[in-house]
């Protein structure tokens, strides 16, 4: 599915413990690199927490790396 929207919300809500969900790349949205708050809010909406396990992108202030941390707690780094 896409990375935002109703379909994502339904897939996340139906997920069971141990399930893995693969979403579309956020880079297809210009709002990702601009860290636009409306996009960030949609991106974070279906989730409870954020783990950044992508050290190579941690320095970017993009929606999927910095923006979501304002909406998701806890926001933590993974095993890099």
């Amino acid at each position: 599915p896409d990375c935002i929207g109703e379909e994502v919300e339904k897939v996340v809500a139906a997920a069971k413990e141990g399930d893995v969900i693969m979403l579309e790349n956020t880079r297809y949205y210009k709002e990702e690199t601009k860290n636009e708050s409306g996009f960030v809010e949609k991106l974070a909406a279906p989730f409870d927490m954020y783990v950044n396990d992508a050290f190579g992108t941690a320095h970017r202030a993009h929606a999927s790396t910095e923006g979501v941390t304002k909406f998701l707690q806890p926001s933590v780094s993974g095993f890099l």
Side-chain angles (χ1 to χ4, degrees):
D2 199 349
C3 59
I4 58 171
E6 282 186 30
E7 183 182 2
V8 175
E9 292 176 17
K10 289 177 185 175
V11 169
V12 171
K16 297 174 184 68
E17 187 173 334
D19 284 354
V20 174
I21 302 168
M22 177 90 54
L23 301 176
E24 185 60 75
N25 192 330
T26 59
R27 305 286 269 176
Y28 289 112
Y29 287 89
K30 66 181 182 336
E31 298 90 345
E32 158 67 1
T33 56
K34 295 179 180 183
N35 200 2
E36 291 184 7
S37 61
F39 178 73
V40 171
E41 202 164 353
K42 290 176 189 175
L43 189 59
F47 303 103
D48 298 322
M49 64 178 297
Y50 173 73
V51 177
N52 185 342
D53 203 19
F55 181 75
T57 65
H59 66 285
R60 298 179 184 156
H62 293 175
S64 64
T65 56
E66 192 270 338
V68 294
T69 64
K70 293 175 173 65
F71 293 92
L72 298 172
Q73 297 299 319
S75 292
V76 299
S77 62
F79 297 111
L80 304 176

